[in-house]
Amino acid sequence: MDNKGGIIVTELNELLYDKKLECPVCNEEFATKKVRISRLKLIKRDEDLLSYYEGENPLIYNVFLCPNCGYAATESRFDSVSARDKKILLEEVASKWSKRSYGGERSIDDAIVVYKLAFYIGQVLDYDKVELGTLAHSIAWLYRIKGDQEEIRFLSITKDLYEYSYYNESLVNAKGAKRDEIKLAYLLGEINRRLGNKEEAFKWFNGVISNPDIKSSPMLEKMVREQWRLTRNE
């Protein structure tokens, strides 16, 4: 595997394109690389849903970072900046930022830096814990692709954030979309399994299997039963 998270190296100029953006914090225009999803071929997917592709992995480019002020967020979140958020970001991030760009081709290490900044910004802006957990999970995946044991630390952070969200946050997010409770419970089972927390993994897997709504997700049901058996045999 190459250090980009792909299996076979493909010409980057065939896979990447420039996306032009205007920063909602400082109003500067900049460009950042994106992956042409139509050109990708899925190779495999880990049980906690990390996907591997032939060529570049779009995970590496899913966070946009303004080179002028340092604002970083996922593509789906990038434009969601309130007047309050803007004030906080100017004080807590932009005032301390040394201008630099991550808008070109990124290494895994570049992606980790960008995601960690997005995670920090999520903490500063008090994102929902499930959203912070998703960022932490992505960082763990990047370390996995790199083959770095820091993956374990970020999986542990992910577990704590997902668990808090499961028990304490609304199933409907700020945009009115319903979160997938079963998928979150499955991920908590799989992450606990990867961390060696066998009894916790069983608890979450059993909860998913006994949930009648699992019948509407046959692929997830198959995955959770397979991981339940794997955990039993470990």
Side-chain angles (χ1 to χ4, degrees):
M1 186 184 301
D2 69 344
N3 69 349
K4 292 281 190 174
I7 304 298
I8 300 172
V9 177
T10 304
E11 289 295 329
L12 286 181
N13 58 7
E14 296 179 5
L15 287 172
L16 300 179
Y17 67 95
D18 287 322
K19 183 178 180 68
K20 294 182 179 179
L21 299 161
E22 181 179 319
C23 177
V25 177
C26 69
N27 303 120
E28 288 288 324
E29 294 185 350
F30 68 98
T32 191
K33 296 292 185 187
K34 284 279 294 172
V35 177
R36 298 183 194 277
I37 302 299
S38 62
R39 300 279 183 92
L40 291 178
K41 179 182 178 182
L42 180 69
I43 299 297
K44 67 173 185 173
R45 182 175 287 121
D46 286 347
E47 290 78 7
D48 66 341
L49 308 184
L50 167 59
S51 297
Y52 298 83
Y53 297 89
E54 183 179 289
E56 193 75 313
N57 196 316
L59 173 70
I60 295 170
Y61 296 92
N62 196 39
V63 169
F64 299 159
L65 188 153
C66 173
N68 183 62
C69 72
Y71 170 55
T74 58
E75 182 172 11
S76 61
R77 154 71 76 166
F78 192 76
D79 291 325
S80 302
V81 178
S82 67
R84 169 191 168 274
D85 293 343
K86 182 173 179 177
K87 183 175 183 295
I88 292 171
L89 290 167
L90 288 171
E91 292 174 354
E92 298 295 329
V93 179
S95 65
K96 305 168 186 176
W97 175 252
S98 297
K99 293 183 182 182
R100 56 193 183 277
S101 176
Y102 288 90
E105 296 174 13
R106 290 179 184 170
S107 65
I108 291 293
D109 287 334
D110 290 337
I112 288 170
V113 170
V114 172
Y115 269 90
K116 284 183 175 179
L117 181 56
F119 183 79
Y120 168 73
I121 286 170
Q123 291 175 308
V124 169
L125 296 183
D126 198 25
Y127 287 3
D128 286 350
K129 294 297 187 290
V130 70
E131 192 169 357
L132 287 173
T134 300
L135 288 168
H137 202 178
S138 295
I139 296 169
W141 285 343
L142 289 166
Y143 276 120
R144 185 182 306 167
I145 292 169
K146 185 181 177 184
D148 191 315
Q149 285 300 304
E150 266 299 273
E151 173 196 349
I152 301 302
R153 184 166 76 90
F154 277 91
L155 280 180
S156 183
I157 293 169
T158 303
K159 175 184 72 69
D160 292 344
L161 290 166
Y162 279 170
E163 188 167 312
Y164 180 94
S165 177
Y166 187 89
Y167 288 120
N168 298 286
E169 292 183 340
S170 170
L171 291 178
V172 179
N173 67 18
K175 295 184 178 180
K178 188 173 181 181
R179 295 189 176 116
D180 193 334
E181 178 184 3
I182 296 177
K183 180 180 174 182
L184 186 59
Y186 166 75
L187 285 173
L188 278 161
E190 177 58 18
I191 290 169
N192 272 289
R193 186 192 71 80
R194 286 174 175 269
L195 292 172
N197 305 329
K198 187 174 180 178
E199 294 305 316
E200 281 293 300
F202 269 128
K203 181 189 81 172
W204 288 105
F205 288 149
N206 285 333
V208 175
I209 291 170
S210 63
N211 190 319
D213 291 340
I214 191 63
K215 296 301 180 183
S216 64
S217 303
M219 185 176 295
L220 187 60
E221 181 178 18
K222 180 182 178 182
M223 289 173 66
V224 72
R225 291 187 184 280
E226 288 175 352
Q227 295 313 101
W228 186 94
R229 285 192 291 271
L230 179 61
T231 306
R232 182 188 63 185
N233 293 333
E234 285 177 339

